[in-house]
Amino acid sequence: MAHLEDLGFRIVDSRMEFITHTHRGENEIIAPVGEFRRFEPRDWEALTEITVKNFVDNDQFKSRYTNREIFSRDESLRYYLQWHRWVLDVSPDLFLSWVDKDKYVGFYSILRFSDPQSIHPRYKVGLAAIDPEYRSHNGQNLMQAWLFRETR
């Protein structure tokens, strides 16, 4: 990256937000394997492990926070774990754990914000990850649907 900047390029950070209106589904959402449930404090170690595998140490995942020219591994880990803490502090009811027997196989988190211009809150997806062995089950969509259906 430094080489590109030496050639005159500048790295620019951008941000986009997509806003849509949605309605809660009425059909029960069931995990295809195991169960969906709210995050529990006992999940923290397994959540950290799956976060490391899917974000921090995953060469296939591209993010400025995993670029070791910019952020160390420890800084990257701290960033992703802080996302979890933020959701758990602000919207703990919107943090889902997917477990299969004793195995923690996935999570999905959403932040809820008050919107002063609307009677409806705004939501922002936090982080989501699924163990590779469970990715063929459409889990991320199901977890999101479960959270919105089960949260009032």
Side-chain angles (χ1 to χ4, degrees), residues 26-45:
E26 295 302 320
N27 297 331
E28 184 177 9
I29 308 297
I30 299 171
V33 178
E35 69 171 325
F36 294 151
R37 62 168 170 73
R38 306 263 184 231
F39 176 87
E40 298 173 1
R42 66 186 168 117
D43 297 334
W44 185 257
E45 186 176 329

Side-chain angles (χ1 to χ4, degrees), residues 82-95 109-114 121-124 151:
Q82 189 57 42
W83 257 106
H84 297 325
R85 289 182 187 101
W86 189 19
V87 174
L88 290 168
D89 286 346
V90 174
S91 311
D93 59 323
L94 290 171
F95 203 117
S109 64
I110 301 172
L111 283 162
R112 181 189 304 107
F113 298 98
S114 296
R122 289 180 47 206
Y123 299 90
K124 176 178 178 46
T151 303

Side-chain angles (χ1 to χ4, degrees), residues 44-111:
W44 185 257
E45 186 176 329
L47 173 65
T48 300
E49 287 177 26
I50 200 169
T51 299
V52 167
K53 287 179 189 174
N54 283 273
F55 298 104
V56 179
D57 289 345
N58 181 355
D59 293 337
Q60 301 302 307
F61 177 70
K62 304 300 180 200
S63 165
R64 66 183 172 271
Y65 299 105
T66 58
N67 181 334
R68 296 299 170 246
E69 292 182 23
I70 302 172
F71 295 98
S72 71
R73 183 183 184 281
D74 288 343
E75 289 169 327
S76 179
L77 177 60
R78 191 171 69 233
Y79 171 80
Y80 291 109
L81 293 182
Q82 189 57 42
W83 257 106
H84 297 325
R85 289 182 187 101
W86 189 19
V87 174
L88 290 168
D89 286 346
V90 174
S91 311
D93 59 323
L94 290 171
F95 203 117
L96 176 145
S97 291
W98 182 6
V99 294
D100 183 17
K101 299 177 185 76
D102 292 332
K103 185 174 182 180
Y104 193 89
V105 301
F107 67 88
Y108 198 101
S109 64
I110 301 172
L111 283 162

Side-chain angles (χ1 to χ4, degrees), residues 12-29:
V12 177
D13 189 17
S14 63
R15 177 180 165 169
M16 283 188 175
E17 289 187 12
F18 298 92
I19 297 175
T20 186
H21 296 278
T22 188
H23 298 281
R24 287 192 177 118
E26 295 302 320
N27 297 331
E28 184 177 9
I29 308 297

